[in-house]
Amino acid sequence: MDEELTSLFVNECRDQLLAMEDGLLCLEQDPENADSIGAIFRAAHTIKGGAGVVECQFMERFTHKVENVLDKLRNGELPVSGELCTLILECCDHLGALLEVFANGLPQPAPEVQARGDVLLNRLTERFLLDAPTAASEVHLPVEHADEVETSGGGIVNTDAWHISIRFGTEVLKYGMDPLSFLHYLCSLGEITAIETITDGMPPAGLMDPECCYLGFEIHFQTRASKAQIEQVFEFVRDDCTLHILPPNSKIDEYLKLIDQLPEDSMRLGEILVRAGALTQSELDDGLRAQCRARQSADDSPSIGRVLVEQNVVHQVVVEAAASRQAAVGEKKTVEARMIRVHADKLDHLIDLVGEMVISGAGANLLAQRSGQSELLESTSVLLRLVEDIRDAALQLRMVQIGETFNRFNRVVRDASLEMGKSIELVITGAETELDKSVVEKLGDPLMHLVRNAIDHGIEAAEVRMARGKSPTGTLRLNACHDSGSVVIEVIDDGGGLPKEKIRQKAIDKGLIDAGATLSDNELVNLIFEAGFSTAEQVTNISGRGVGMDVVRRNIQSLRGSINVDNTEGQGATFTIRLPLTLAIIDGFLTGVGRAAYVVPLESVVECIELSEVGEKRNYLNLRGEVLPFLRLREVFAIGGELPARQNVVIVQFAGQKAGLVVDTLLGEFQTVIKPLGTLFKHLRGVGGATILGSGEVALILDVPALVKRVSSLETLSHRKLSPATH
Amino acid sequence: MLKKRLLEALITTEHLEFDLSEGTSMDSAGLQLLILLKREALAREKN
């Protein structure tokens, strides 16, 4: 099997399974949504087709059965129900498992996987394919009472019955065909609810030839048959009559729906209409001939849509729907043609190379500066600017929207809230926010834990909520936005919030704090991120295993991010995750302390000032009337040596808090390729990574969030020393 | 032939009645003849 084809199928199939899942979740919320049914069906159909192409019979067989049920759903033969959605969702999960089997190159699924699939198929068959409660059979066709039929010769019908307008040719009787026998045959397809015989074509008695036919009929006809089937009734007389078959209003909606559900193939307008059943092939042939004639007789060539509408064989609205479908498919194909799938490894390699280029560029620039040649300096500065642009463009390639990750939680919230017996609405905002693919990939697990925790511990049961004067339906929000070079992701629930007293007690029991410790509300609730902390009284499947929040924090920190919780007891909790936009290359601000160089991420630098005379012991300064705490990097990193005559303060900001970092020299902006620190330096506080300077020396990248936190905790500590606790 | 006979019958009488109770079926040719006759009767103000 072609490896590339297999990989393409696996990726495509994953996308389609997500589309199926999204469609099912939408359908469950809005059972009338034909778009969702169409999307689910199309996704299943694509999976089945793809499985056939890559000769994955076990997937093809399974999807085929699922597709049968979906087909019934699409045709209105099955009502949308929670049970059906749940079962199809389980089938999606199973398809995911089968896909993994295929992706791992195994010829068949393991017996237990196979057995699970068989159980699902049996349930599908028993519940929905054998004695399915056919929605359509329960709904009686609205029988049109016998309205007076007017001679129209093919006008548009406004009733809910088919309108058949037929004028037989004068020669039909001579050919041995009796018009009345066609009407009898028509009755085998349905019921004629009204009929008017038309004899406008009959000449005066003297000229009337009894062997010629002068008859025509205007018929109201109730049937479930298609237009093509009705037309087939008149097949033998088709060339010797004028026939117009106009669909009922309800049928027009069906055509519109079918047009929308057609596979996304490049089709001509006429083909779309024939595929949807709004037009028969012979009507289309007639229309094309008429278009050809019109083209020959005039310079202006009418569109086939206009010709068909003028011939009264199809409604304007149906033609418009087909035209817009055609345009949409064309547009999508054009967009798809502009897209290209690239293996992530290739992108990673490119980013690595760009990183090396940035370092080499810095080296060249340094040499140019040392040489003092203005032309060389100019040339390297242009080169540096270009390298910067290439860096940004390369990083942009790896940017993906967070929406896809967020959307996965629709299913999680649905399943978990069903399991917990709670009513929870998930609201997603900022789904278009972009961040590095490598960050997104590692974000799934921490987010999953936060969401499950919110469902399990945060949002209360409906009766509790009502007793507290809240809506019985809880709301869980996932929000993402960009904020000063970081991505902020929030998980917000309107549940009961974190119980501060319980947390305090638990922390004391676990020995995390002393019984008499004085902690701010913020410090108290953030204790939940300590290892082994869990206040759940009952361990459930959703969360509460007590291994969660510390792992969440560790995962976020490994992404150079931070997490904190904002809590209002009784009103809900907001977990805020801050992450860097990328993990590869950043704009940095280079500083020097002694002989060492440190890089501060530029996005967190607010301004730089000179450190005026402050006492050795003081760790704050007056910044335009504002108290600014600072850290001396010499002290933080234990750097000895002579103090320079002049020291500088780099003022940084993180999560709304400002702090100063005292350095010796300010060396300016610097493109920083982040090199991770080895495991040996894992526990190093205040350093987020390392980079290589143009000179080949190593500079440490400062972990601003950690340093700001350190400053603020020192500040709080000194504050407490000044104002001792009263209890 | 039938057309001629029926039209002659219409001309010669004021009131023309067909007894089709013995007939079990009728084809389109018969139907259009009856329609023709009805039209002629109305034109001649007969019934």
Side-chain angles (χ1 to χ4, degrees):
Chain A
M1 178 72 54
D2 185 341
E3 213 169 277
E4 202 165 320
L5 187 67
T6 307
S7 158
L8 191 69
F9 166 70
V10 171
N11 288 330
E12 172 83 24
C13 202
R14 283 193 183 123
D15 292 347
Q16 296 298 338
L17 281 173
L18 281 177
M20 257 182 102
E21 200 173 287
D22 287 347
L24 283 161
L25 295 172
C26 287
L27 187 66
E28 203 175 29
Q29 298 297 318
D30 179 12
E32 300 296 316
N33 192 335
D35 289 350
S36 300
I37 300 178
I40 300 161
F41 186 84
R42 278 198 300 276
H45 191 70
T46 310
I47 293 170
K48 192 181 87 170
V53 171
V54 297
E55 295 171 359
C56 178
Q57 277 93 359
F58 55 85
M59 274 192 83
E60 194 182 6
R61 273 197 305 273
F62 187 85
T63 321
H64 179 70
K65 208 60 171 273
V66 176
E67 200 188 27
N68 284 348
V69 176
L70 293 174
D71 193 36
K72 276 177 172 275
L73 189 68
R74 190 173 65 153
N75 296 334
E77 292 169 43
L78 274 179
V80 175
S81 65
E83 186 196 0
L84 178 68
C85 289
T86 304
L87 189 50
I88 305 280
L89 280 170
E90 285 176 42
C91 289
C92 284
D93 294 342
H94 185 67
L95 275 171
L98 292 181
L99 185 65
E100 290 311 310
V101 172
F102 177 75
N104 292 333
L106 301 172
Q108 284 298 328
E112 65 273 15
V113 178
Q114 183 66 44
R116 204 164 56 231
D118 291 345
V119 169
L120 284 170
L121 290 185
N122 285 340
R123 279 170 64 197
L124 275 181
T125 310
E126 280 166 18
R127 295 291 301 124
F128 301 110
L129 289 174
L130 290 178
D131 296 307
T134 54
S137 65
E138 286 164 7
V139 181
H140 298 289
L141 270 180
V143 176
E144 188 67 25
H145 49 84
D147 281 355
E148 192 177 330
V149 180
E150 291 176 5
T151 309
S152 67
I156 299 298
V157 191
N158 288 317
T159 66
D160 207 24
W162 288 86
H163 188 114
I164 303 167
S165 174
I166 186 162
R167 302 291 180 271
F168 290 95
T170 51
E171 303 300 304
V172 293
L173 295 175
K174 291 176 187 168
Y175 297 150
M177 289 181 286
D178 183 359
L180 289 184
S181 58
F182 290 102
L183 300 190
H184 285 303
Y185 183 33
L186 181 68
C187 289
S188 68
L189 288 187
E191 186 190 352
I192 294 177
T193 55
I195 185 165
E196 184 163 338
T197 309
I198 307 300
T199 55
D200 295 351
M202 196 184 286
L207 298 173
M208 189 263 190
D209 180 353
E211 290 184 6
C212 287
C213 181
Y214 305 104
L215 292 177
F217 300 98
E218 297 293 329
I219 304 161
H220 274 189
F221 188 56
Q222 289 278 11
T223 182
R224 287 202 186 137
S226 67
K227 194 177 192 183
Q229 284 172 307
I230 297 173
E231 194 191 58
Q232 232 169 15
V233 169
F234 303 98
E235 191 183 357
F236 293 118
V237 78
R238 188 71 185 86
D239 295 337
D240 297 302
C241 74
T242 312
L243 177 68
H244 295 289
I245 305 167
L246 298 162
N249 285 341
S250 59
K251 205 75 185 168
I252 292 171
D253 292 339
E254 194 179 308
Y255 291 150
L256 297 179
K257 210 161 107 181
L258 286 171
I259 286 171
D260 194 43
Q261 289 170 356
L262 281 175
E264 287 167 343
D265 296 336
S266 303
M267 280 193 281
R268 295 176 179 185
L269 188 95
E271 288 172 326
I272 293 177
L273 293 169
V274 172
R275 284 281 285 275
L279 191 72
T280 65
Q281 188 57 47
S282 53
E283 284 172 338
L284 175 60
D285 294 342
D286 287 348
L288 289 170
R289 278 194 290 271
Q291 188 191 28
C292 207
R293 282 196 299 274
R295 196 176 291 159
Q296 281 163 358
S297 62
D299 290 341
D300 178 36
S301 167
S303 68
I304 185 66
R306 205 173 91 195
V307 171
L308 294 170
V309 171
E310 279 169 4
Q311 288 191 338
N312 284 319
V313 289
V314 66
H315 283 71
Q316 173 83 31
V317 63
V318 180
V319 171
E320 281 168 6
S324 53
R325 172 78 183 166
Q326 195 183 28
V329 169
E331 204 172 302
K332 197 172 173 205
K333 294 260 174 203
T334 317
V335 172
E336 276 173 7
R338 292 203 303 259
M339 300 285 273
I340 175 167
R341 276 180 188 269
V342 179
H343 205 286
D345 290 350
K346 288 185 183 172
L347 282 183
D348 291 344
H349 184 55
L350 175 69
I351 303 284
D352 286 346
L353 287 177
V354 171
E356 294 304 321
M357 188 164 72
V358 168
I359 293 167
S360 304
N365 194 45
L366 195 72
L367 289 175
Q369 277 173 353
R370 281 181 191 160
S371 76
Q373 291 179 37
S374 61
E375 282 177 350
L376 185 59
L377 267 171
E378 197 174 323
S379 172
T380 49
S381 101
V382 170
L383 197 65
L384 271 187
R385 207 168 53 243
L386 280 172
V387 167
E388 206 171 305
D389 289 348
I390 292 171
R391 176 202 69 179
D392 289 346
L395 288 176
Q396 190 60 39
L397 292 176
R398 283 212 313 202
M399 288 296 191
V400 292
Q401 294 191 346
I402 199 166
E404 201 178 300
T405 306
F406 276 1
N407 284 337
R408 286 181 201 163
F409 290 101
N410 281 312
R411 173 79 186 276
V412 175
V413 171
R414 173 199 178 270
D415 289 355
S417 52
L418 274 178
E419 195 180 319
M420 300 293 297
K422 295 177 180 177
S423 170
I424 300 171
E425 186 193 5
L426 178 67
V427 180
I428 291 172
T429 46
E432 66 292 340
T433 308
E434 287 188 330
L435 71 165
D436 197 293
K437 189 172 170 21
S438 56
V439 179
V440 171
E441 280 166 359
K442 290 173 189 156
L443 197 60
D445 285 348
L447 272 182
M448 180 69 82
H449 209 95
L450 292 178
V451 166
R452 282 171 175 259
N453 259 337
I455 297 168
D456 195 4
H457 308 315
I459 295 174
E460 315 94 324
E463 54 271 25
V464 178
R465 292 181 63 84
M466 283 195 286
R468 290 180 178 174
K470 294 181 181 177
S471 153
T473 301
T475 307
L476 182 63
R477 291 176 196 279
L478 286 177
N479 177 44
C481 60
H482 283 150
D483 178 34
S484 59
S486 303
V487 176
V488 177
I489 294 158
E490 292 173 315
V491 181
I492 309 163
D493 71 70
D494 66 348
L498 299 166
K500 279 182 286 190
E501 276 318 304
K502 265 190 184 177
I503 291 171
R504 167 185 285 281
Q505 195 51 52
K506 194 86 178 181
I508 294 168
D509 294 348
K510 295 266 174 189
L512 296 171
I513 55 169
D514 292 333
T518 312
L519 285 109
S520 68
D521 284 356
N522 190 36
E523 286 170 328
L524 193 65
V525 291
N526 279 286
L527 285 173
I528 59 167
F529 294 112
E530 297 302 322
F533 195 95
S534 172
T535 60
E537 280 155 10
Q538 194 186 352
V539 172
T540 68
N541 282 336
I542 312 293
S543 62
R545 290 177 197 86
V547 292
M549 299 310 278
D550 60 320
V551 179
V552 169
R553 186 170 64 175
R554 267 212 305 279
N555 285 348
I556 300 291
Q557 282 172 343
S558 73
L559 296 170
R560 294 201 301 118
S562 69
I563 179 168
N564 73 335
V565 57
D566 191 12
N567 179 55
T568 311
E569 210 166 335
Q571 297 298 312
T574 300
F575 287 85
T576 307
I577 299 170
R578 278 179 177 270
L579 291 166
L581 274 177
T582 174
L583 300 178
I585 309 171
I586 55 166
D587 276 320
F589 187 75
L590 193 61
T591 62
V593 183
R595 292 180 62 190
Y598 294 93
V599 176
V600 187
L602 194 64
E603 73 223 10
S604 47
V605 176
V606 182
E607 61 179 309
C608 299
I609 55 168
E610 193 182 330
L611 182 68
S612 46
E613 285 302 311
V614 288
E616 279 289 309
K617 300 276 178 189
R618 247 172 70 180
N619 58 357
Y620 58 93
L621 58 85
N622 180 350
L623 180 71
R624 296 184 289 274
E626 189 186 330
V627 175
L628 182 83
F630 62 75
L631 279 176
R632 296 174 199 271
L633 291 192
R634 271 184 178 274
E635 287 174 14
V636 175
F637 297 114
I639 297 167
E642 283 285 302
L643 272 181
R646 184 182 138 178
Q647 288 187 95
N648 295 286
V649 184
V650 181
I651 299 168
V652 292
Q653 184 170 18
F654 180 76
Q657 281 184 298
K658 273 186 191 172
L661 302 174
V662 179
V663 298
D664 293 355
T665 47
L666 303 174
L667 300 169
E669 281 185 38
F670 176 72
Q671 287 187 65
T672 311
V673 180
I674 301 172
K675 302 278 180 192
L677 289 171
T679 44
L680 194 63
F681 305 104
K682 199 165 66 174
H683 302 292
L684 209 59
R685 302 277 171 187
V687 176
T691 189
I692 301 166
L693 302 176
S695 60
E697 287 170 32
V698 173
L700 294 177
I701 302 168
L702 297 179
D703 180 0
V704 171
L707 292 172
V708 170
K709 201 175 162 193
R710 185 164 166 178
V711 172
S712 59
S713 60
L714 282 173
E715 198 187 1
T716 316
L717 207 67
S718 60
H719 210 67
R720 284 207 197 113
K721 278 180 187 163
L722 288 172
S723 52
T726 50
H727 57 278
Chain B
M1 277 300 115
L2 184 61
K3 176 196 160 194
K4 195 179 167 197
R5 281 180 62 191
L6 288 172
L7 283 173
E8 281 172 359
L10 182 67
I11 293 164
T12 54
T13 181
E14 278 302 303
H15 182 80
L16 187 62
E17 192 173 319
F18 294 100
D19 181 4
L20 301 173
S21 60
E22 296 297 309
T24 53
S25 63
M26 183 192 288
D27 64 6
S28 303
L31 174 69
Q32 66 178 10
L33 260 184
L34 284 180
I35 292 169
L36 174 79
L37 220 58
K38 178 75 178 171
R39 200 176 72 183
E40 290 300 311
L42 287 173
R44 290 159 204 260
E45 295 182 339
K46 293 182 179 183
N47 57 26

